[in-house]
Amino acid sequence: MSVQERKQRERAERERLIVATARELAEQQGWDAVTTRRLAERIEYSQPVLYSHFRGKREIIGAVALQGATELAVAVRAATAAADGPRARVHALARAYLAFAEGNPAVYDAIFQLDGGLAYAREDTPEPLKDAFAALMESLGEVAGDGVEPGLFTEVFWASLHGVTTLTRSGRLPPEETERRVTLLVDRLPVV
């Protein structure tokens, strides 16, 4: 291994450590607790080392968001692959989405609530975000109904799941009714 390859590997490892530590701290204490000073202390590198990887907290949030979007896509695809039939796939998708949001609240916020400096719904949207949307559309597109554009239908269904997530997390919807909300939403789909 050349010196250059070793340096690149070490740099990538430091970057993974920064992102993992930011994510862990955010999940434990919230994003307000994530500062470059605290990250530098936790990973035992200087703040200038952090800034050599990320210009600040915004970029770190963006890195966590991209990692989370990849994980969300994997979770949705795994759940839908095990389901039999279009309606069952959508139900599995909804459950996987809500479980991801509940199990990873700081990551969910990084993807959908916080400014990570990422472009959404544009040509220059990063691939992990596009893929997470594609994972939703793979199942939702088959139940959109005649004359309904699959992408638009996916956006509306996703917005419903996001609403259930955020309203439940904020205490505005009782969590014990989440499954009934999902069933109600899925049962109203035009395809059997």
Side-chain angles (χ1 to χ4, degrees):
M1 174 183 302
S2 73
V3 172
Q4 181 67 20
E5 289 171 329
R6 182 183 51 79
K7 285 183 179 184
Q8 286 175 339
R9 190 184 78 235
E10 289 171 355
R11 179 171 177 77
E13 184 55 38
R14 272 193 315 270
E15 194 165 299
R16 279 190 295 277
L17 179 62
I18 293 166
V19 171
T21 304
R23 180 176 174 162
E24 178 183 316
L25 186 57
E27 291 293 1
Q28 291 171 352
Q29 300 176 29
W31 279 105
D32 287 343
V34 179
T35 64
T36 54
R37 177 171 291 171
R38 287 185 84 185
L39 287 174
E41 289 170 3
R42 283 208 174 190
I43 65 171
E44 299 177 345
Y45 283 104
S46 67
Q47 283 182 287
V49 170
L50 261 80
Y51 286 117
S52 73
H53 290 273
F54 299 99
R55 286 181 286 196
K57 182 176 175 177
R58 182 178 186 221
E59 284 189 4
I60 293 169
I61 290 169
V64 170
L66 294 176
Q67 186 181 74
T70 298
E71 293 168 9
L72 176 60
V74 167
V76 166
R77 286 188 175 112
T80 58
D84 186 28
R87 190 175 304 278
R89 277 189 286 282
V90 173
H91 210 117
L93 175 152
R95 284 186 181 128
Y97 182 97
L98 294 170
F100 179 87
E102 183 179 354
N104 305 280
V107 174
Y108 187 86
D109 286 348
I111 301 168
F112 298 117
Q113 305 278 85
L114 301 175
D115 178 10
L118 303 173
Y120 287 80
R122 298 189 337 212
E123 289 280 323
D124 60 338
T125 298
E127 198 54 44
L129 298 176
K130 288 180 181 178
D131 189 51
F133 186 79
L136 298 175
M137 196 162 70
E138 288 163 10
S139 293
L140 292 167
E142 65 182 333
V143 298
D146 293 336
V148 178
E149 199 273 310
L152 186 61
F153 181 79
T154 300
E155 291 171 352
V156 171
F157 196 92
W158 166 38
S160 297
L161 293 176
H162 180 70
V164 169
T165 297
T166 57
L167 291 170
T168 303
R169 280 178 54 190
S170 67
R172 286 163 175 81
L173 292 176
E176 62 272 8
E177 297 293 330
T178 299
E179 183 61 28
R180 287 184 57 207
R181 287 184 195 97
V182 169
T183 299
L184 179 67
L185 187 60
V186 172
D187 284 352
R188 298 303 180 264
L189 294 172
V191 173
V192 175

